[in-house]
Amino acid sequence: VFNVEMARIVDVGRMQELINGFASREEMLPRSLSEIYENIRDYFVVRDDDRVVGCGSLHVCWADMAEIKSMAVEEKRQGQGIGTALVASCITEAGRIGIDTVFCLTYKPDFFSRFGFKIVDKMELPRKVWTECYHCPKFPDCDEVAMVRRVENA
Ligand SMILES: CC(C)(COP(=O)(O)OP(=O)(O)OC[C@H]1O[C@@H](n2cnc3c(N)ncnc32)[C@H](O)[C@@H]1OP(=O)(O)O)[C@@H](O)C(=O)NCCC(=O)NCCS
């Protein structure tokens, strides 16, 4: 069982290193330091001693929608359940604040389908969720898969 905690300022450098390491292999989108600092309260981390070994974030878009973003687990710590613990924390947090649907845009649909996420047509997502997409070099030819999941107890 992993101890999932809210991220702290001191974690940001390591979180960016993890995220951008995978981003350089096109496994996820890169994040600038400013994006991470500004959204620091969205991020959950799992630490090994003081070192971040995994992170993930929940970003509220609207009354009924939040996005799970930037899931990254250090390569040699993958497959141990850290990603699962981070996704579970994001979903629990969504329910706690009263969000009834979470979604993700991902290159790893098989990972998210384990948690009950279902693939949807991106066009089904409200435009509000695209704010970040407008800045993406790939827009509008996004190759990520959109997935949604209802949140119980929202
Ligand atoms: C995807 C990622 C976050 C999963 O984290 P993790 O800590 O390895 O996940 P878990 O250990 O909780 O894995 C849970 C299960 O999902 C499976 N799984 C992990 N990654 C998977 C993938 N890409 N596709 C399908 N299944 C996957 C694991 O094998 C494990 O199965 P098991 O319980 O039968 O052994 C991690 O592999 C990662 O950081 N990848 C690189 C960055 C990335 O792709 N992020 C997601 C982009 S949106």
Side-chain angles (χ1 to χ4, degrees), residues 89-152:
S89 292
C90 290
I91 295 172
T92 301
E93 175 67 359
R96 186 188 73 78
I97 63 176
I99 292 276
D100 66 19
T101 309
V102 288
F103 76 98
C104 62
L105 291 162
T106 185
Y107 297 121
K108 307 280 170 71
D110 294 346
F111 174 69
F112 285 96
S113 66
R114 306 174 60 95
F115 312 106
F117 284 81
K118 300 267 185 276
I119 295 179
V120 294
D121 185 336
K122 268 189 282 286
M123 302 308 283
E124 282 178 33
L125 297 177
R127 300 248 154 151
K128 178 74 184 119
V129 311
W130 291 1
T131 39
E132 187 181 8
C133 304
Y134 296 133
H135 305 290
C136 178
K138 293 183 177 174
F139 184 80
D141 300 313
C142 174
D143 50 0
E144 292 190 310
V145 176
M147 302 180 83
V148 303
R149 181 195 191 278
R150 296 279 301 171
V151 177
E152 310 84 19

Side-chain angles (χ1 to χ4, degrees), residues 16-152:
Q16 190 198 29
E17 192 175 86
L18 276 177
I19 294 166
N20 289 357
F22 293 121
S24 68
R25 290 156 26 181
E26 305 244 323
E27 292 191 52
M28 59 198 296
L29 297 180
R31 296 279 170 230
S32 67
L33 282 176
S34 119
E35 281 175 299
I36 303 176
Y37 283 126
E38 286 186 24
N39 297 295
I40 184 76
R41 286 176 295 180
D42 287 351
Y43 281 84
F44 292 97
V45 294
V46 170
R47 299 191 184 88
D48 184 355
D49 289 329
D50 285 340
R51 186 183 142 82
V52 171
V53 294
C55 65
S57 68
L58 180 79
H59 186 74
V60 176
C61 302
W62 201 246
D64 52 357
M65 269 284 180
E67 180 177 3
I68 294 185
K69 297 167 80 160
S70 297
M71 291 287 312
V73 175
E74 186 177 75
E75 198 142 24
K76 61 176 185 289
R77 301 297 300 266
Q78 289 179 6
Q80 300 176 352
I82 296 173
T84 298
L86 288 162
V87 171
S89 292
C90 290
I91 295 172
T92 301
E93 175 67 359
R96 186 188 73 78
I97 63 176
I99 292 276
D100 66 19
T101 309
V102 288
F103 76 98
C104 62
L105 291 162
T106 185
Y107 297 121
K108 307 280 170 71
D110 294 346
F111 174 69
F112 285 96
S113 66
R114 306 174 60 95
F115 312 106
F117 284 81
K118 300 267 185 276
I119 295 179
V120 294
D121 185 336
K122 268 189 282 286
M123 302 308 283
E124 282 178 33
L125 297 177
R127 300 248 154 151
K128 178 74 184 119
V129 311
W130 291 1
T131 39
E132 187 181 8
C133 304
Y134 296 133
H135 305 290
C136 178
K138 293 183 177 174
F139 184 80
D141 300 313
C142 174
D143 50 0
E144 292 190 310
V145 176
M147 302 180 83
V148 303
R149 181 195 191 278
R150 296 279 301 171
V151 177
E152 310 84 19

